[in-house]
């Protein structure tokens, strides 16, 4: 018994030693900054740091712009995530068809936006959204009226949603494609023998098998969407857009940190993001889990 | 067991070291070679390297040129190690995490005045005060009154911390050649109403618009006119004051301009490109060097003057456009040397001349008495640009610095959008934005 206990201790110790480099990195670069940020959210940060309880959170919730920033962020997420996931899934399925030639080329092409700088992408789209830019040229050639892409609250949001979809679709396509390629072909062969149509196979085999990957995609894009910052910041030159339509939680957080130098309040905003992300993820897990059980 | 202990020990050491690093030196706030209370009479530092966070271009070039003159004059051996950081938000982004973590700092920090309020509201005690050093008492009167008034309002204790570098008002760049083509002598335009009429003629004769405006809601024109009427927008006590009759009057002029159909609308990103195709550009003096670089082919076409008045009989007040100052952190290595050098750079005649030659506009008014300040600029048809800018800046409105000043623009732009797109009455739109701004910062609205 003692020998076994001693052996286990030795084994555990070696394991700890092996993960020590990662743990050190984790503690220094993630854990301590996270805990400090949590403390900052209850403090006034300046030449000295004073604990002020919930004052930062109260100030944040009293600010109408804070609520507006969440409303905008949710609008962007609702407008972009379902379309991104749907189109990514569609492209992944198409790329996974057995007779598609040049899969590697398409995979790389679709993935390119994911590795392109958001700043560069937003800057290019900025020229497209110009009153006399590419998009309005197309619209007017088709007989339509020029669209006030960046000057109308509705279209300002659409402009951001379009860029978000364009930027993310490649990443999720590759992710779903990897998921699709992990589904055993034998399942499909059995379904064929049983007479299941392609559509039936898609909904009864592909989607259920891909469910964990889709769930991961939804969670990742939700977290990503919550932190939206670069695109609205570049499109609207560090302003809030027409009728504050482009202020996201990320933009508000940035301005609170680096324009107002209120790190306490900024940390409080950041922690509301953490709480919202956790709640949304739990809801998604719950929904995903229930459907799985069924 | 030993492994467990070792692991625990290492982790504890990491946590302790990280926290220590974050708070290192917090007990000793002054730099090693600097006395606790440095003053103008402190013994001159003979050697060292001054590290500086400063934007590349004319400001870094001035530091270099001035340091050469300084070393020659005092027989010192100071060197400069500049890091390129833009003076507005990027500088705040760079220095404030260092200030929070109590890290060692550069000797010189070049910060835009509009961003200084936010930094100093939290960290003023981490910087040397130019007032305590004796700079303000000895040289303060040489600087623009508006600059020094602004400098006094930056820190919560109303003490001056910055070493005043430059200051300017909004001026009018106008395409003289274009107006002449339309038969207009723009120098004769005295009021905004006359300028609107000139704009209509310009459009009729040349097809060009009078000016650029942001398509998401004007900000510049309304702010400039309101300030010309004496409205600082944030009052002396920090209350928001944007829905007063002066600002509403500014909106009535804005409406006249917009109704005259003489505006080119666009995104702020295209401000320079679109503005250059119109008759006038409202900008600070800094715009001159950018315009010369970007549009060399228009040499001789443009001129600079003050904005027209609202009424010909109005007292002349020019809208403040801001400036920059140097700050010396207490946790710098060569704080005293930095302050001694800054005192020279910002007050010595030969040093100020060097700045003017680099197209700088020093806040020190004595600089404009020199021959360098009276040179003509070929790009502006031989106009004595530096002297013209100085003449305009002497009438600068006194504005006040509070941490939230820079955010007010967003709210004014929102009011302009509301007025233009939704037809809301200016008073209602301004009242709404003033209240939202006041709610955000827990400040009062001037009724």
């Amino acid at each position: 018994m003692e020998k076994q206990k001693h052996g286990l201790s030795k084994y555990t110790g070696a394991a700890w030693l092996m993960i020590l480099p990662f743990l050190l990195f984790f503690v220094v670069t993630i854990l301590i900054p996270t805990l400090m940020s949590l403390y900052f959210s209850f403090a006034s940060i300046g030449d000295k740091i004073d604990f002020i309880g919930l004052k930062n959170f109260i100030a944040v919730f009293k600010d109408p712009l804070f609520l507006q920033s969440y409303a905008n962020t949710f609008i962007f997420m609702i407008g972009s995530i379902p379309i991104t996931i749907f189109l990514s899934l569609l492209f992944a399925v198409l790329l996974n068809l057995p007779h598609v030639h040049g899969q590697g080329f398409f995979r790389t092409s679709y993935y390119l936006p994911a590795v392109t700088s958001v700043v560069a992408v937003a800057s290019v789209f900025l020229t497209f959204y110009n009153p006399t830019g590419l998009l309005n040229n197309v619209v007017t050639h088709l007989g339509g009226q020029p669209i006030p892409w960046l000057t109308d609250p509705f279209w300002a949001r659409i402009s951001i949603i379009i860029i978000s979809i364009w930027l993310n679709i490649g990443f999720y396509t590759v992710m779903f494609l990897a998921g699709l390629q992990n589904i055993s072909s034998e399942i499909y062969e059995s379904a064929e023998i049983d007479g299941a149509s392609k559509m039936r196979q898609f909904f009864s085999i592909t989607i259920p098998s891909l469910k964990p990957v889709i769930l991961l995609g939804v969670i990742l894009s939700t977290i990503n969407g919550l932190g939206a910052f670069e695109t609205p910041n570049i499109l609207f030159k560090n302003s809030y857009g027409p009728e504050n339509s482009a202020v996201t939680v990320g933009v508000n957080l940035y301005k609170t940190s680096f324009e107002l130098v209120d790190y306490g309040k900024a940390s409080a905003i950041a922690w509301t993001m953490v709480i919202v992300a956790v709640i949304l993820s739990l809801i998604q897990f719950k929904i995903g889990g229930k459907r799985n059980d069924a | 067991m030993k492994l467990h202990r070792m692991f625990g020990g290492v982790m504890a050491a990491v946590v302790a070291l990280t926290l220590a690093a974050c708070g290192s030196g917090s007990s000793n706030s002054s730099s090693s070679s600097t006395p606790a209370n440095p003053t103008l009479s402190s013994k001159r530092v003979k050697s060292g390297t001054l590290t500086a966070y400063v934007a590349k271009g004319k400001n870094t070039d001035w530091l270099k040129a001035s340091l050469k003159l300084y070393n020659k004059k005092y027989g010192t051996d100071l060197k400069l190690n500049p890091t390129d950081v833009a003076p507005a938000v990027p500088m705040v982004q760079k220095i404030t995490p260092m200030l929070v973590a109590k890290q060692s700092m550069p000797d010189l920090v070049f910060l835009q005045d509009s961003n200084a309020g936010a930094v100093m509201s939290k960290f003023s005690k981490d910087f040397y005060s130019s007032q305590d050093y004796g700079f303000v008492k000895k040289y303060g009167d040489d600087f623009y009154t508006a600059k020094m008034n602004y400098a006094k309002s930056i820190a919560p204790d109303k003490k001056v911390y910055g070493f005043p570098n430059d200051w300017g008002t909004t001026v009018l760049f106008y395409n003289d050649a274009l107006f002449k083509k339309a038969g207009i002598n723009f120098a004769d335009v005295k009021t905004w109403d006359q300028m609107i009429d000139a704009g209509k003629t310009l459009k009729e004769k040349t097809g060009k618009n009078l000016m650029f405006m942001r398509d998401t809601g004007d900000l510049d024109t309304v702010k400039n006119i309101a300030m010309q009427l004496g409205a600082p927008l944030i009052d002396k006590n920090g209350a928001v004051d944007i829905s007063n009759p002066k600002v509403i009057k500014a909106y009535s002029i804005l409406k006249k301009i917009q109704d005259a159909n003489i505006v080119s609308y666009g995104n702020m990103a295209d401000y320079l490109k679109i503005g250059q195709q119109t008759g006038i550009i409202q900008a600070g003096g800094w715009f001159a060097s950018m315009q010369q670089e970007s549009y060399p082919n228009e040499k001789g076409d443009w001129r600079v003057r003050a904005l027209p008045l609202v009424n010909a009989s109005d007292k002349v007040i020019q809208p403040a456009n801001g400036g920059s100052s140097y700050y010396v952190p207490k946790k710098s290595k060569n704080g005293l040397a930095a302050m001694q050098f800054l005192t020279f750079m910002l007050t010595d005649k030969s040093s100020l001349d060097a700045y003017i030659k680099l197209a700088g506009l020093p806040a020190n008014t004595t600089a404009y008495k020199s021959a360098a300040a009276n040179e003509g600029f070929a790009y502006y048809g031989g106009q004595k640009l530096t002297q013209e800018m100085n003449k305009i800046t002497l009438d600068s409105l006194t504005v006040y610095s509070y941490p939230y000043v820079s955010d007010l623009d967003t709210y004014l732009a929102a009011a302009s959008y509301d007025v233009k797109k939704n037809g809301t009455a200016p008073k209602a739109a301004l009242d709404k934005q003033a209240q939202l701004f006041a709610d955000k910062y827990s400040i009062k609205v001037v009724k």
Side-chain angles (χ1 to χ4, degrees):
Chain A
M1 184 75 181
E2 199 178 316
K3 199 177 174 184
Q4 194 187 358
K5 200 178 160 189
H6 181 71
L8 188 71
S9 168
K10 228 173 138 181
Y11 174 78
T12 313
W16 277 114
L17 253 188
M18 278 183 222
I19 61 166
L20 186 63
F22 165 75
L23 265 178
L24 286 177
F25 182 78
F26 173 78
V27 169
V28 173
T29 63
I30 296 175
L31 187 63
I32 292 176
T34 306
L35 292 177
M36 283 178 83
S37 153
L38 182 61
Y39 176 64
F40 281 4
S41 68
F42 296 102
S44 163
I45 315 293
D47 35 39
K48 55 188 172 52
I49 298 173
D50 295 320
F51 182 78
I52 55 166
L54 287 170
K55 277 185 183 167
N56 285 326
F57 286 93
I58 293 167
V60 157
F61 279 99
K62 270 173 70 179
D63 177 6
L65 197 72
F66 170 75
L67 300 174
Q68 170 90 64
S69 71
Y70 263 105
N72 288 340
T73 306
F74 282 123
I75 290 170
F76 297 143
M77 281 160 46
I78 292 165
S80 65
I81 294 173
I83 298 173
T84 305
I85 298 293
F86 172 76
L87 289 177
S88 302
L89 194 57
L90 182 71
F91 288 144
V93 170
L94 291 175
L95 281 175
N96 199 42
L97 290 175
H99 304 300
V100 173
H101 295 292
Q103 258 199 28
F105 169 77
F106 286 116
R107 231 174 4 219
T108 311
S109 307
Y110 289 164
Y111 194 70
L112 264 181
V115 291
T116 310
S117 151
V118 181
V119 178
V121 171
S123 302
V124 171
F125 269 88
L126 192 61
T127 64
F128 291 172
Y129 290 144
N130 218 304
T132 52
L134 178 77
L135 293 178
N136 273 349
N137 272 336
V138 173
V139 171
T140 47
H141 270 93
L142 293 173
Q145 288 292 314
I147 294 170
W149 291 105
L150 302 175
T151 55
D152 177 85
F154 173 78
W155 288 106
R157 291 185 178 113
I158 297 290
S159 308
I160 295 171
I161 289 170
I162 290 172
I163 296 179
S164 170
I165 293 170
W166 191 85
L167 273 170
N168 292 315
I169 218 162
F171 175 79
Y172 295 108
T173 299
V174 171
M175 199 167 98
F176 293 153
L177 189 61
L180 284 172
Q181 287 171 349
N182 275 335
I183 303 171
S184 167
S185 58
E186 287 167 8
I187 305 174
Y188 289 105
E189 284 163 14
S190 305
E192 290 258 17
I193 292 165
D194 290 344
S197 66
K198 291 284 177 198
M199 199 57 96
R200 181 69 196 260
Q201 287 176 35
F202 179 75
F203 284 107
S204 300
I205 301 171
T206 310
I207 294 289
S209 305
L210 265 188
K211 208 168 162 187
V213 186
I214 295 173
L215 186 63
L216 179 68
V218 172
I219 291 169
L220 284 179
S221 52
T222 304
I223 294 168
N224 195 21
L226 261 179
F229 165 71
E230 290 108 320
T231 305
N233 202 44
I234 290 162
L235 287 187
F236 298 96
K237 278 280 200 184
N238 208 19
S239 79
Y240 299 146
E243 291 186 340
N244 295 338
S245 54
V247 57
T248 60
V249 189
V251 169
N252 194 23
L253 172 60
Y254 176 82
K255 283 179 92 85
T256 307
S257 303
F258 299 121
E259 277 188 23
L260 307 172
V261 195
D262 197 336
Y263 282 110
K265 211 170 147 186
S267 299
I269 295 172
W271 275 92
T272 65
M273 287 170 82
V274 173
I275 292 163
V276 170
V278 169
I279 292 170
L280 289 178
S281 301
L282 284 176
I283 292 170
Q284 285 159 357
F285 272 122
K286 192 92 179 158
I287 294 169
K290 263 185 188 165
R291 284 191 187 158
N292 224 7
D293 297 342
Chain B
M1 200 61 187
K2 270 182 187 170
L3 278 170
H4 275 131
R5 266 194 222 135
M6 194 173 93
F7 174 76
V10 170
M11 292 308 287
V14 166
V15 173
L17 281 172
T18 311
L19 292 173
C22 289
S24 65
S26 55
S27 57
N28 175 20
S29 58
S30 59
S31 52
S32 53
S33 63
T34 306
N37 297 305
T39 63
L40 279 171
S41 54
S42 298
K43 197 179 163 200
R44 190 161 301 279
V45 179
K46 288 288 176 190
S47 64
T49 298
L50 298 177
T51 51
Y53 285 177
V54 57
K56 69 176 179 187
K58 71 180 171 198
N59 290 300
T60 299
D61 293 344
W62 186 27
L63 280 177
K64 286 177 183 168
S66 191
L67 194 63
K68 259 187 202 170
L69 296 167
Y70 179 82
N71 281 333
K72 198 175 165 191
K73 182 170 180 179
Y74 294 107
T76 50
D77 183 27
L78 291 183
K79 291 181 176 65
L80 184 72
N81 179 16
T83 301
D84 176 26
V85 188
V89 175
M91 184 65 79
V92 178
Q93 224 171 321
K94 181 96 177 164
I95 63 167
T96 49
M98 296 166 78
L99 288 164
V100 173
K102 305 286 178 201
Q103 286 177 1
S104 58
M105 298 285 291
D107 302 303
L108 300 164
V109 170
F110 185 68
L111 190 57
Q112 198 163 289
D113 290 339
S114 54
N115 298 94
V119 176
M120 300 313 283
S121 71
K122 301 283 181 183
F123 299 102
S124 62
K125 288 187 174 63
D126 289 328
F127 291 88
Y128 289 111
S129 154
S130 56
Q131 190 172 321
D132 290 345
Y133 181 66
F135 180 92
V136 175
K137 193 175 175 193
K138 187 163 182 190
Y139 301 105
D141 290 345
D142 292 341
F143 289 77
Y144 289 123
T145 311
K147 172 80 179 183
M148 293 315 288
N149 284 341
Y150 192 81
K152 279 174 203 161
S153 73
I154 285 176
D157 61 4
K158 304 301 169 201
K159 200 189 270 182
V160 181
Y161 285 83
F163 288 78
N165 186 76
D166 61 296
W167 181 258
T169 50
T170 302
V171 296
L172 204 64
F173 291 80
Y174 65 97
N175 191 331
D176 193 48
L178 187 67
F179 278 107
K180 288 230 164 83
K181 216 163 131 187
I184 300 162
N185 181 9
F186 198 76
D188 292 341
V189 171
K190 303 287 181 220
T191 64
W192 279 89
D193 281 341
Q194 287 173 12
M195 189 159 80
I196 295 167
D197 289 339
K200 286 178 191 167
T201 311
L202 184 75
K203 179 118 189 204
E204 200 184 301
K205 300 273 171 69
T206 68
K208 300 272 187 186
N209 278 321
L210 177 70
M211 64 200 291
F212 163 88
M213 261 185 214
R214 303 168 195 237
D215 46 16
T216 48
D218 170 77
L219 177 64
D220 316 271
T221 305
V222 157
K223 252 178 89 173
N224 288 337
I225 299 173
M227 283 200 264
Q228 281 188 293
L229 291 167
L233 309 175
I234 297 284
D235 80 357
K236 203 174 181 175
N237 303 312
V240 58
D241 189 11
I242 58 169
S243 55
N244 63 52
K246 291 170 182 169
V247 186
I248 291 163
K249 172 76 183 168
Y251 272 96
S252 71
I253 296 173
L254 179 74
K255 190 170 184 316
K256 275 189 205 170
I257 299 170
Q258 290 171 336
D259 288 350
N261 196 23
I262 49 175
V263 176
S264 294
Y265 293 98
N267 192 287
M268 261 312 273
D270 300 322
Y271 151 73
L272 176 63
K273 204 168 75 186
I274 300 174
Q276 197 70 21
Q277 299 303 313
T278 65
I280 63 160
I281 297 171
Q282 301 171 75
W286 51 265
F287 180 73
S289 46
M290 199 161 93
Q291 190 178 36
Q292 291 173 67
E293 267 177 43
S294 310
Y295 296 93
N297 293 339
E298 294 187 32
K299 186 178 175 181
D301 290 354
W302 289 78
R303 301 284 185 279
V304 174
R305 54 164 282 182
L307 292 169
L309 296 169
V310 174
N311 303 298
S313 57
D314 283 350
K315 184 186 170 199
V316 178
I317 304 172
Q318 303 298 350
N321 192 258
S324 308
S325 300
Y326 280 96
Y327 291 84
V328 180
K330 285 184 179 168
K331 287 196 77 66
S332 59
K333 203 176 164 195
N334 297 302
L336 177 59
M339 285 188 281
Q340 289 173 336
F341 167 61
L342 283 176
T343 303
F344 169 84
M345 183 174 97
L346 302 170
T347 60
D348 180 83
K349 191 181 164 301
S350 56
S351 168
L352 291 168
D353 274 0
Y355 195 37
I356 285 175
K357 280 176 189 157
L358 290 163
L361 296 166
N364 188 334
T365 56
T366 63
Y368 299 95
K369 289 169 187 155
S370 70
N374 283 293
E375 278 177 20
F377 280 66
Y379 190 88
Y380 295 98
Q383 192 179 9
K384 291 177 182 175
L385 199 69
T386 313
Q387 209 50 259
E388 182 68 26
M389 301 269 197
N390 174 47
K391 208 175 86 191
I392 298 168
T393 305
L394 285 168
D395 294 318
S396 171
L397 173 73
T398 288
V399 285
Y400 307 100
S401 169
Y402 283 89
Y404 38 80
V405 162
S406 60
D407 199 26
L408 185 62
D409 284 359
T410 309
Y411 289 78
L412 265 178
S416 298
Y417 183 87
D418 200 8
V419 171
K420 185 167 178 277
K421 295 276 176 177
N422 305 329
T424 309
K427 171 86 175 128
L430 289 163
D431 278 343
K432 182 183 164 192
Q433 294 303 325
Q435 198 54 56
L436 286 171
F437 189 75
D439 288 346
K440 181 171 182 182
Y441 294 107
S442 304
I443 56 171
K444 285 183 181 157
V445 178
V446 177
K447 295 284 179 192

